mmCIF file of all heavy atoms in Angstrom:
data_model
loop_
_atom_site.group_PDB
_atom_site.id
_atom_site.type_symbol
_atom_site.label_atom_id
_atom_site.label_comp_id
_atom_site.label_asym_id
_atom_site.label_seq_id
_atom_site.Cartn_x
_atom_site.Cartn_y
_atom_site.Cartn_z
ATOM 1 N N MET A 1 115.620 -180.369 -3.970
ATOM 2 C CA MET A 1 115.116 -179.388 -3.020
ATOM 3 C C MET A 1 114.983 -178.009 -3.622
ATOM 4 O O MET A 1 114.667 -177.056 -2.958
ATOM 5 C CB MET A 1 116.065 -179.268 -1.850
ATOM 6 C CG MET A 1 116.083 -180.465 -1.011
ATOM 7 S SD MET A 1 117.544 -180.418 -0.027
ATOM 8 C CE MET A 1 118.797 -180.282 -1.248
ATOM 9 N N ASP A 2 115.289 -177.923 -4.869
ATOM 10 C CA ASP A 2 115.297 -176.641 -5.539
ATOM 11 C C ASP A 2 113.874 -176.165 -5.814
ATOM 12 O O ASP A 2 113.109 -176.855 -6.459
ATOM 13 C CB ASP A 2 116.057 -176.839 -6.851
ATOM 14 C CG ASP A 2 116.246 -175.561 -7.583
ATOM 15 O OD1 ASP A 2 115.735 -174.534 -7.119
ATOM 16 O OD2 ASP A 2 116.884 -175.599 -8.614
ATOM 17 N N ALA A 3 113.516 -174.987 -5.317
ATOM 18 C CA ALA A 3 112.146 -174.520 -5.506
ATOM 19 C C ALA A 3 111.952 -173.911 -6.886
ATOM 20 O O ALA A 3 110.842 -173.654 -7.300
ATOM 21 C CB ALA A 3 111.789 -173.507 -4.438
ATOM 22 N N SER A 62 111.070 -176.184 8.700
ATOM 23 C CA SER A 62 112.404 -176.640 9.083
ATOM 24 C C SER A 62 112.614 -178.126 8.815
ATOM 25 O O SER A 62 111.714 -178.933 9.051
ATOM 26 C CB SER A 62 112.532 -176.363 10.590
ATOM 27 O OG SER A 62 113.788 -176.691 11.064
ATOM 28 N N GLY A 63 113.805 -178.474 8.341
ATOM 29 C CA GLY A 63 114.120 -179.892 8.098
ATOM 30 C C GLY A 63 113.688 -180.313 6.693
ATOM 31 O O GLY A 63 113.100 -179.532 5.945
ATOM 32 N N PHE A 80 119.620 -183.874 3.342
ATOM 33 C CA PHE A 80 120.609 -183.624 4.402
ATOM 34 C C PHE A 80 120.113 -182.762 5.565
ATOM 35 O O PHE A 80 120.746 -182.715 6.619
ATOM 36 C CB PHE A 80 121.802 -182.875 3.769
ATOM 37 C CG PHE A 80 121.413 -181.459 3.451
ATOM 38 C CD1 PHE A 80 121.719 -180.432 4.326
ATOM 39 C CD2 PHE A 80 120.663 -181.163 2.329
ATOM 40 C CE1 PHE A 80 121.308 -179.137 4.083
ATOM 41 C CE2 PHE A 80 120.240 -179.867 2.073
ATOM 42 C CZ PHE A 80 120.566 -178.864 2.947
ATOM 43 N N SER A 81 119.018 -182.022 5.403
ATOM 44 C CA SER A 81 118.711 -180.911 6.320
ATOM 45 C C SER A 81 118.595 -181.364 7.779
ATOM 46 O O SER A 81 117.844 -182.274 8.109
ATOM 47 C CB SER A 81 117.413 -180.231 5.871
ATOM 48 O OG SER A 81 117.053 -179.257 6.805
ATOM 49 N N SER A 82 119.334 -180.664 8.661
ATOM 50 C CA SER A 82 119.367 -181.033 10.082
ATOM 51 C C SER A 82 118.277 -180.329 10.885
ATOM 52 O O SER A 82 117.997 -180.697 12.022
ATOM 53 C CB SER A 82 120.715 -180.626 10.671
ATOM 54 O OG SER A 82 120.829 -179.206 10.627
ATOM 55 N N GLY A 83 117.729 -179.258 10.319
ATOM 56 C CA GLY A 83 116.725 -178.467 11.043
ATOM 57 C C GLY A 83 117.355 -177.421 11.957
ATOM 58 O O GLY A 83 116.649 -176.715 12.679
ATOM 59 N N HIS A 84 118.674 -177.283 11.888
ATOM 60 C CA HIS A 84 119.351 -176.303 12.760
ATOM 61 C C HIS A 84 118.886 -174.878 12.449
ATOM 62 O O HIS A 84 118.602 -174.092 13.348
ATOM 63 C CB HIS A 84 120.871 -176.426 12.595
ATOM 64 C CG HIS A 84 121.627 -175.499 13.480
ATOM 65 N ND1 HIS A 84 121.861 -174.182 13.155
ATOM 66 C CD2 HIS A 84 122.166 -175.687 14.710
ATOM 67 C CE1 HIS A 84 122.529 -173.599 14.146
ATOM 68 N NE2 HIS A 84 122.720 -174.490 15.092
ATOM 69 N N ARG A 85 118.821 -174.555 11.141
ATOM 70 C CA ARG A 85 118.434 -173.192 10.734
ATOM 71 C C ARG A 85 117.055 -172.827 11.317
ATOM 72 O O ARG A 85 116.859 -171.762 11.881
ATOM 73 C CB ARG A 85 118.381 -173.102 9.207
ATOM 74 C CG ARG A 85 117.765 -171.837 8.663
ATOM 75 C CD ARG A 85 118.768 -170.714 8.491
ATOM 76 N NE ARG A 85 119.657 -170.949 7.404
ATOM 77 C CZ ARG A 85 120.995 -170.784 7.462
ATOM 78 N NH1 ARG A 85 121.565 -170.362 8.555
ATOM 79 N NH2 ARG A 85 121.753 -171.018 6.405
ATOM 80 N N GLY A 86 116.101 -173.742 11.148
ATOM 81 C CA GLY A 86 114.732 -173.451 11.596
ATOM 82 C C GLY A 86 114.652 -173.338 13.113
ATOM 83 O O GLY A 86 113.977 -172.445 13.640
ATOM 84 N N LEU A 192 110.489 -169.843 5.061
ATOM 85 C CA LEU A 192 110.411 -171.211 4.543
ATOM 86 C C LEU A 192 111.807 -171.811 4.381
ATOM 87 O O LEU A 192 112.373 -171.827 3.287
ATOM 88 C CB LEU A 192 109.628 -171.182 3.223
ATOM 89 C CG LEU A 192 108.230 -170.541 3.379
ATOM 90 C CD1 LEU A 192 107.644 -170.165 2.030
ATOM 91 C CD2 LEU A 192 107.288 -171.468 4.138
ATOM 92 N N ALA A 193 112.333 -172.306 5.502
ATOM 93 C CA ALA A 193 113.709 -172.817 5.515
ATOM 94 C C ALA A 193 113.769 -174.334 5.306
ATOM 95 O O ALA A 193 114.856 -174.902 5.246
ATOM 96 C CB ALA A 193 114.381 -172.452 6.836
ATOM 97 N N ALA A 194 112.616 -174.986 5.205
ATOM 98 C CA ALA A 194 112.627 -176.446 5.017
ATOM 99 C C ALA A 194 113.213 -176.794 3.654
ATOM 100 O O ALA A 194 113.089 -176.027 2.696
ATOM 101 C CB ALA A 194 111.211 -176.998 5.131
ATOM 102 N N ALA A 195 113.848 -177.956 3.590
ATOM 103 C CA ALA A 195 114.388 -178.447 2.315
ATOM 104 C C ALA A 195 113.332 -179.378 1.721
ATOM 105 O O ALA A 195 113.184 -180.525 2.137
ATOM 106 C CB ALA A 195 115.697 -179.186 2.564
ATOM 107 N N VAL A 196 112.574 -178.817 0.776
ATOM 108 C CA VAL A 196 111.385 -179.514 0.261
ATOM 109 C C VAL A 196 111.727 -180.306 -1.006
ATOM 110 O O VAL A 196 112.368 -179.765 -1.915
ATOM 111 C CB VAL A 196 110.267 -178.477 -0.036
ATOM 112 C CG1 VAL A 196 109.007 -179.171 -0.542
ATOM 113 C CG2 VAL A 196 109.963 -177.666 1.212
ATOM 114 N N PHE A 245 114.027 -169.727 0.932
ATOM 115 C CA PHE A 245 115.467 -169.999 0.973
ATOM 116 C C PHE A 245 115.916 -170.636 -0.331
ATOM 117 O O PHE A 245 115.147 -171.359 -0.967
ATOM 118 C CB PHE A 245 115.802 -170.945 2.139
ATOM 119 C CG PHE A 245 115.922 -170.223 3.456
ATOM 120 C CD1 PHE A 245 114.799 -169.715 4.090
ATOM 121 C CD2 PHE A 245 117.155 -170.042 4.048
ATOM 122 C CE1 PHE A 245 114.905 -169.023 5.290
ATOM 123 C CE2 PHE A 245 117.286 -169.363 5.244
ATOM 124 C CZ PHE A 245 116.160 -168.853 5.871
ATOM 125 N N LYS A 246 117.150 -170.378 -0.684
ATOM 126 C CA LYS A 246 117.741 -171.018 -1.859
ATOM 127 C C LYS A 246 119.097 -171.594 -1.461
ATOM 128 O O LYS A 246 119.971 -170.863 -0.994
ATOM 129 C CB LYS A 246 117.887 -169.963 -2.967
ATOM 130 C CG LYS A 246 118.693 -170.365 -4.156
ATOM 131 C CD LYS A 246 118.191 -171.587 -4.842
ATOM 132 C CE LYS A 246 116.809 -171.461 -5.428
ATOM 133 N NZ LYS A 246 116.275 -172.761 -5.879
ATOM 134 N N LEU A 247 119.213 -172.887 -1.597
ATOM 135 C CA LEU A 247 120.472 -173.555 -1.288
ATOM 136 C C LEU A 247 121.125 -174.031 -2.573
ATOM 137 O O LEU A 247 120.452 -174.608 -3.423
ATOM 138 C CB LEU A 247 120.227 -174.774 -0.390
ATOM 139 C CG LEU A 247 121.480 -175.622 -0.165
ATOM 140 C CD1 LEU A 247 122.342 -175.054 0.940
ATOM 141 C CD2 LEU A 247 121.144 -177.061 0.113
ATOM 142 N N VAL A 271 116.581 -165.896 0.949
ATOM 143 C CA VAL A 271 117.844 -166.047 1.684
ATOM 144 C C VAL A 271 118.681 -167.088 0.941
ATOM 145 O O VAL A 271 118.289 -168.251 0.839
ATOM 146 C CB VAL A 271 117.608 -166.477 3.145
ATOM 147 C CG1 VAL A 271 118.937 -166.608 3.881
ATOM 148 C CG2 VAL A 271 116.689 -165.493 3.857
ATOM 149 N N ASN A 273 121.983 -169.374 0.443
ATOM 150 C CA ASN A 273 123.081 -169.971 1.227
ATOM 151 C C ASN A 273 123.719 -171.131 0.493
ATOM 152 O O ASN A 273 123.102 -171.786 -0.333
ATOM 153 C CB ASN A 273 122.641 -170.355 2.648
ATOM 154 C CG ASN A 273 121.463 -171.305 2.743
ATOM 155 O OD1 ASN A 273 121.135 -171.795 3.812
ATOM 156 N ND2 ASN A 273 120.788 -171.594 1.647
ATOM 157 N N ARG A 278 126.805 -172.480 5.218
ATOM 158 C CA ARG A 278 125.473 -171.987 5.587
ATOM 159 C C ARG A 278 125.353 -171.517 7.036
ATOM 160 O O ARG A 278 124.468 -170.739 7.364
ATOM 161 C CB ARG A 278 124.400 -173.035 5.271
ATOM 162 C CG ARG A 278 124.430 -174.294 6.113
ATOM 163 C CD ARG A 278 123.477 -175.312 5.502
ATOM 164 N NE ARG A 278 123.171 -176.450 6.357
ATOM 165 C CZ ARG A 278 123.936 -177.527 6.478
ATOM 166 N NH1 ARG A 278 125.078 -177.586 5.826
ATOM 167 N NH2 ARG A 278 123.555 -178.521 7.265
ATOM 168 N N LYS A 279 126.279 -171.983 7.898
ATOM 169 C CA LYS A 279 126.214 -171.533 9.293
ATOM 170 C C LYS A 279 127.037 -170.270 9.521
ATOM 171 O O LYS A 279 127.013 -169.701 10.603
ATOM 172 C CB LYS A 279 126.702 -172.639 10.225
ATOM 173 C CG LYS A 279 125.726 -173.804 10.307
ATOM 174 C CD LYS A 279 126.080 -174.743 11.417
ATOM 175 C CE LYS A 279 125.042 -175.858 11.476
ATOM 176 N NZ LYS A 279 125.380 -176.883 12.442
HETATM 177 O O1 PAZ B 1 118.520 -177.540 8.167
HETATM 178 P P1 PAZ B 1 119.942 -177.082 8.104
HETATM 179 O O2 PAZ B 1 120.255 -176.058 9.160
HETATM 180 O O3 PAZ B 1 120.898 -178.229 8.088
HETATM 181 O O4 PAZ B 1 120.135 -176.378 6.675
HETATM 182 C C1 PAZ B 1 119.360 -175.239 6.360
HETATM 183 C C2 PAZ B 1 118.987 -175.207 4.870
HETATM 184 C C3 PAZ B 1 120.257 -175.198 4.040
HETATM 185 C C4 PAZ B 1 118.135 -176.421 4.521
HETATM 186 C C5 PAZ B 1 118.180 -173.885 4.602
HETATM 187 O O5 PAZ B 1 118.954 -172.791 4.954
HETATM 188 C C6 PAZ B 1 117.751 -173.795 3.138
HETATM 189 O O6 PAZ B 1 118.445 -173.291 2.313
HETATM 190 N N1 PAZ B 1 116.549 -174.306 2.834
HETATM 191 C C7 PAZ B 1 116.019 -174.347 1.467
HETATM 192 C C8 PAZ B 1 116.706 -175.416 0.669
HETATM 193 C C9 PAZ B 1 116.283 -175.386 -0.801
HETATM 194 O O7 PAZ B 1 115.243 -175.982 -1.069
HETATM 195 O O8 PAZ B 1 116.926 -174.762 -1.640
#
Side-chain angles (χ1 to χ4, degrees):
M1 291 162 304
D2 185 356
S62 183
F80 72 97
S81 175
S82 65
H84 182 277
R85 170 88 72 226
L192 304 164
V196 181
F245 278 71
K246 169 57 63 190
L247 173 83
V271 181
N273 57 171
R278 68 190 193 277
K279 289 191 178 174

